[in-house]
């Protein structure tokens, strides 16, 4: 079992020992070097590699000495520059050696770090660890320097063995020197070690700002339609490590909601002067009634702060038109075959819908029992581009309640600029009995007269009658429609 452990131990050594460590020391300072691997069961011997001489243990007055894992220079001298190695011997007598290279830099007034620095550069996000400090027992950092100037200020946080720069920027790049005190047997030594810092993420957060939507915006929607709610926020300069733009639906994050109804997508981009933006689109697949009572809140968060904007939905005042024409005709109350109904249910749909591709809303065909209320009719009329009214004697004479209603609603539609097409199905000698608004329309545009001869070929869309009807219909019939399409 012990053998096995040692083998693993050795293989770990072999992979590390290929790179020799380097030390840059200042003249007249203390230097302590540590053998890279060690355990209490191994024996360590230090050599001056170039002369192959063993470095002995400490004696009275000795300056360079070794003990177990450590090699001391108290203090350094220029002639100490050179190669050193620690050789460790395991209990099975196998050995392993590690090479270390030391450069002692001559002391120069006003220069706090050597011209050549071989400690690895720090390209992190602001934490700069003091090199070699782990080798010193009870060392205390007394001062940090950047480019030999003492560091102070709110942006620097001093740890036991490191300094942390808050939000490092390009100006923070440079030579960072830690100066500490090392005490050995009552003798106090100065030690300094320097490494280069290159700020990696030159980002800085800004107070998050939602550009759109505006808080308390009301967005017009249609029931059944899809909706894409976009939220765009500016979060800082350059890519931020902490930046979230997301939607809540009545305070519930979208990720916890039914994915088939709600989901969101985010992307980011940099704008002018490297301003960092995120934009998150909430996709609602189908607007439902309950969504009209819901708060949709966009939240933008960065490491600095967070902000919100809440929008609500309301129905569009005017629906998109979904019918090409709404057809008003007198309803027969007898069981007798009635030409007008035959015309409305058969001839007209065959020509205008089947042959020309229009969509008609025909009361009695496209409405259901109980739905025939004034508001339902009004909504359908509002969704229609044209209003087709069939003029008959019955229309003139009948004071039928439902029909009056139709006409009243149609009056309201005049104000909404829905075009009216009047089809004179029977010859009406005098229009005087007609409602004033109808008379007005007749005066303006006349009527399209259904004459006896048309009944010979009523299904011909090329007849003069249908040509005139189509002339008044919307220009291009849409190829397909669906109720509440959005
Ligand atoms: C130290 O070792 C390196 C190779 O690892 C060699 O290039 C250098 O000359 C040696 N230094 C001295 C002073 O012998
Ligand atoms: C290691 O070497 C020493 C002498 O150098 C010897 O006495 C000892 O038996 C050796 N141990 C092993 C495990 O080979
Ligand atoms: C250490 O240095 C010596 C002398 O330069 C060399 O022979 C030996 O291969 C080196 N060992 C390692 C592990 O680099
Ligand atoms: C450290 O950074 C300096 C300055 O940018 C560069 O000259 C040097 O090559 C870098 N050293 C390493 C080991 O990357
Ligand atoms: C640790 O170092 C400080 C000075 O840096 C010294 O006052 C103290 O006595 C030292 N403690 C030990 C246990 O050596
Ligand atoms: C340590 O450095 C300080 C200031 O940097 C200096 O005043 C002091 O004399 C130095 N001590 C030794 C022992 O060199
Ligand atoms: C929506 O927000 C308003 C205003 O903050 C609040 O009064 C209302 O209770 C919220 N509604 C829901 C369903 O959370």
């Amino acid at each position: 079992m012990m053998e096995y452990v040692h083998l693993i131990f050795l293989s770990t050594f072999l992979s590390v020992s290929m790179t020799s460590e380097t030390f840059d020391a200042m003249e007249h300072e203390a230097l302590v070097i540590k053998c890279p691997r060690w355990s209490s069961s191994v024996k360590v011997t230090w050599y001056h590699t170039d002369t192959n001489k063993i470095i002995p243990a400490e004696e009275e007055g000795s300056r360079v000495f070794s003990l177990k894992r450590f090699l001391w220079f108290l203090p350094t001298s220029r002639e100490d520059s050179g190669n050193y190695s620690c050789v460790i011997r395991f209990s099975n007598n196998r050995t392993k050696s590690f090479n270390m290279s030391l450069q002692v830099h001559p002391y120069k007034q006003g220069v706090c770090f050597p011209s050549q620095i071989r400690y690895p550069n720090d390209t992190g996000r602001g934490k700069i660890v003091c090199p070699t400090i782990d080798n010193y027992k009870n060392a205390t950092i007394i001062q940090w320097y950047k480019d030999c100037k003492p560091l102070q200020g709110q942006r620097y946080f001093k740890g036991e063995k490191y300094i942390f720069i808050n939000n490092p920027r390009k100006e923070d790049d440079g030579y960072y020197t830690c100066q500490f005190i090392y005490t050995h047997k009552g003798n106090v030594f100065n030690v300094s070690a320097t490494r280069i810092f290159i700020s990696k993420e030159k980002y800085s957060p800004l107070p998050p700002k939602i550009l759109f939507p505006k808080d308390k915006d009301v967005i017009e929607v249609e029931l059944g339609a899809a909706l894409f709610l976009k939220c765009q926020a500016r979060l800082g300069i350059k890519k931020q490590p902490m930046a979230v733009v997301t939607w809540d639906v009545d305070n519930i994050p979208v990720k916890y909601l039914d994915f088939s109804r709600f989901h969101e997508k985010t992307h980011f981009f940099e704008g002018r002067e490297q301003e960092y933006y995120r934009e998150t689109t909430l996709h609602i697949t189908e607007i439902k009634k309950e969504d009209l009572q819901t708060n949709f809140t966009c939240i933008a968060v960065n490491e600095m702060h967070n902000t919100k904007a809440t929008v609500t939905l309301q129905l569009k005042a005017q629906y998109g038109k979904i019918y090409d024409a709404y057809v008003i005709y007198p309803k027969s109350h007898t069981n007798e075959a009635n030409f007008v109904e035959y015309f409305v249910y058969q001839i007209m749909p065959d020509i205008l819908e089947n042959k020309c591709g229009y969509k008609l809303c025909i009361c009695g065909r496209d409405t259901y029992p109980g739905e025939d209320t004034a508001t339902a009719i009004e909504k359908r009329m509002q969704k229609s581009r044209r209003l087709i009214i069939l003029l008959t004697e019955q229309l003139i004479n009948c004071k039928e309640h439902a029909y009056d209603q139709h006409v009243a609603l149609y009056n309201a539609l005049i104000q909404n600029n829905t075009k009216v097409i009047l089809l004179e199905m029977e010859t009406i000698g005098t229009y005087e009995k007609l409602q004033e608004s109808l008379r007005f329309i007749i005066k303006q545009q006349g009527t399209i007269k259904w004459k006896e001869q048309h009944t010979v070929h009523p299904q011909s869309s090329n007849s003069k009658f249908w040509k005139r009807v189509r002339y008044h219909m919307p220009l291009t019939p849409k190829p397909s429609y669906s109720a509440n399409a959005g």
Side-chain angles (χ1 to χ4, degrees):
M1 188 61 194
M2 277 310 278
E3 285 295 308
Y4 177 70
V5 169
H6 280 149
L7 279 172
I8 291 174
F9 198 36
L10 272 172
S11 65
T12 315
F13 280 5
L14 286 166
S15 62
V16 174
S17 59
M18 298 316 287
T19 50
S20 68
E21 272 192 80
T22 56
F23 294 88
D24 294 295
M26 298 299 278
E27 191 181 3
H28 307 316
E29 292 188 350
L31 177 68
V32 178
I33 289 175
K34 186 166 77 177
C35 193
R37 288 286 185 273
W38 183 77
S39 84
S40 56
S41 66
V42 302
K43 192 172 177 289
V44 184
T45 313
W46 285 90
Y47 294 91
H48 194 289
T49 319
D50 309 312
T51 60
N52 231 0
K53 277 188 182 157
I54 289 178
I55 297 164
E58 186 177 12
E59 284 166 31
E60 187 69 31
S62 58
R63 191 177 63 81
V64 180
F65 53 89
S66 72
L67 181 66
K68 292 183 178 171
R69 198 184 179 182
F70 296 96
L71 172 64
W72 282 262
F73 300 85
L74 296 180
T76 55
S77 163
R78 270 198 247 183
E79 62 264 25
D80 296 332
S81 292
N83 295 321
Y84 298 83
S85 59
C86 58
V87 177
I88 58 176
R89 184 180 296 271
F90 301 97
S91 53
N92 66 357
N93 284 347
R94 286 188 64 173
T95 61
K96 187 70 212 157
S97 73
F98 298 89
N99 290 344
M100 274 150 275
S101 166
L102 168 61
Q103 186 68 46
V104 178
H105 299 271
Y107 172 82
K108 279 190 199 144
Q109 187 110 33
V111 176
C112 76
F113 58 84
S115 55
Q116 190 200 6
I117 289 162
R118 290 176 295 176
Y119 296 124
N121 288 348
D122 197 322
T123 53
R125 290 182 170 172
K127 184 179 173 180
I128 304 168
V129 177
C130 180
T132 73
I133 193 162
D134 274 340
N135 299 356
Y136 301 83
K137 211 177 174 184
N138 191 33
T140 313
I141 296 175
I142 50 167
Q143 183 66 54
W144 276 92
Y145 299 85
K146 176 182 181 277
D147 302 327
C148 298
K149 292 189 194 79
L151 271 187
Q152 54 210 13
Q154 298 267 308
R155 292 185 58 234
Y156 306 103
F157 171 78
K158 283 170 191 159
E160 198 188 345
K161 291 171 180 174
Y162 63 88
I163 191 164
F164 181 78
I165 309 169
N166 193 20
N167 298 324
R169 297 184 285 257
K170 182 140 187 69
E171 307 88 84
D172 293 311
D173 293 1
Y175 292 79
Y176 283 79
T177 305
C178 49
Q179 190 192 44
F180 52 96
I181 298 242
Y182 174 63
T183 309
H184 181 81
K185 293 192 170 157
N187 295 316
V188 178
F189 298 90
N190 284 335
V191 188
S192 68
T194 301
R195 80 188 329 154
I196 293 170
F197 175 74
I198 300 164
S199 55
K200 189 181 194 172
E201 303 279 358
K202 292 168 192 99
Y203 74 91
S204 54
L206 293 170
K209 181 181 168 191
I210 294 176
L211 286 95
F212 57 78
K214 294 268 170 283
D215 191 37
K216 298 192 177 73
D217 263 2
V218 178
I219 289 155
E220 292 208 324
V221 295
E222 286 175 40
L223 290 180
L227 183 68
F228 293 88
L229 279 176
K230 278 188 183 187
C231 178
Q232 192 185 93
R234 188 203 62 190
L235 296 152
I237 304 297
K238 293 202 133 191
K239 190 169 194 287
Q240 305 291 304
M242 162 70 178
V244 178
V245 173
T246 188
W247 285 93
D248 277 5
V249 176
D250 276 342
N251 300 319
I252 300 168
V254 164
K255 64 178 170 189
Y256 298 124
L257 297 172
D258 179 5
F259 184 78
S260 68
R261 281 254 294 143
F262 302 100
H263 48 271
E264 59 181 12
K265 268 193 180 147
T266 301
H267 73 277
F268 65 85
F269 59 92
E270 280 186 12
R272 188 167 56 80
E273 283 163 7
Q274 296 182 303
E275 284 186 327
Y276 179 80
Y277 295 85
R278 284 182 91 83
E279 187 180 287
T280 299
T281 304
L282 172 65
H283 180 200
I284 307 173
T285 51
E286 189 188 350
I287 299 287
K288 292 192 172 169
K289 257 190 181 163
E290 63 255 34
D291 299 331
L292 305 175
Q293 268 79 50
T294 299
N295 289 335
F296 294 90
T297 305
C298 174
I299 301 151
V301 184
N302 67 10
E303 62 193 42
M304 235 179 171
H305 208 51
N306 66 74
T307 186
K308 292 179 181 187
T310 297
V311 301
T312 51
L313 311 182
Q314 82 173 18
L315 285 182
K316 257 181 200 161
Q318 191 72 40
Y319 281 98
K321 305 283 188 186
I322 59 170
Y323 300 108
D324 292 293
Y326 185 91
V327 182
I328 294 175
Y329 61 98
K331 287 195 194 89
S332 141
H333 295 279
T334 65
N335 288 330
E336 272 173 51
N338 174 316
F339 175 71
V340 167
E341 286 190 349
Y342 175 67
F343 178 87
V344 167
Y345 292 136
Q346 298 292 324
I347 300 172
M348 193 156 67
D350 188 55
I351 305 284
L352 294 181
E353 291 189 322
N354 299 343
K355 294 203 168 77
C356 305
Y358 291 113
K359 178 149 174 77
L360 305 176
C361 182
I362 298 172
C363 199
R365 185 192 72 166
D366 300 316
T367 57
Y368 303 98
E371 203 193 8
D372 203 14
T373 63
T375 49
I377 290 166
E378 190 175 358
K379 275 199 178 129
R380 283 167 191 280
M381 286 188 182
Q382 283 173 351
K383 290 184 207 174
S384 302
R385 296 181 174 84
R386 298 286 185 273
L387 209 62
I388 295 177
I389 299 177
L390 274 67
L391 298 173
T392 64
E393 280 294 327
Q394 195 192 339
L395 164 86
I396 295 161
N397 300 321
C398 184
K399 302 290 176 206
E400 175 77 48
H401 169 73
Y403 200 76
D404 282 350
Q405 200 174 57
H406 276 194
V407 175
L409 289 167
Y410 134 77
N411 278 337
L413 284 167
I414 288 178
Q415 275 103 55
N416 283 341
N417 297 322
T418 302
K419 256 200 192 172
V420 176
I421 302 169
L422 296 174
L423 305 184
E424 197 172 329
M425 300 308 294
E426 301 163 2
T427 306
I428 296 163
T430 173
Y431 298 124
E432 268 166 31
K433 285 184 187 168
L434 289 174
Q435 275 205 353
E436 198 183 350
S437 51
L438 275 176
R439 289 209 309 271
F440 177 74
I441 295 168
I442 293 169
K443 219 173 154 187
Q444 295 284 301
Q445 61 185 55
T447 63
I448 301 170
K449 292 181 180 65
W450 177 265
K451 295 219 181 82
E452 287 297 314
Q453 71 224 40
H454 291 105
T455 55
V456 182
H457 299 291
Q459 251 75 338
S460 165
S461 58
N462 285 325
S463 75
K464 212 173 165 187
F465 175 83
W466 288 116
K467 276 186 179 165
R468 287 188 66 192
V469 172
R470 285 164 65 190
Y471 176 79
H472 291 279
M473 286 295 282
L475 257 186
T476 40
K478 297 268 164 58
S480 68
Y481 296 89
S482 61
N484 295 321

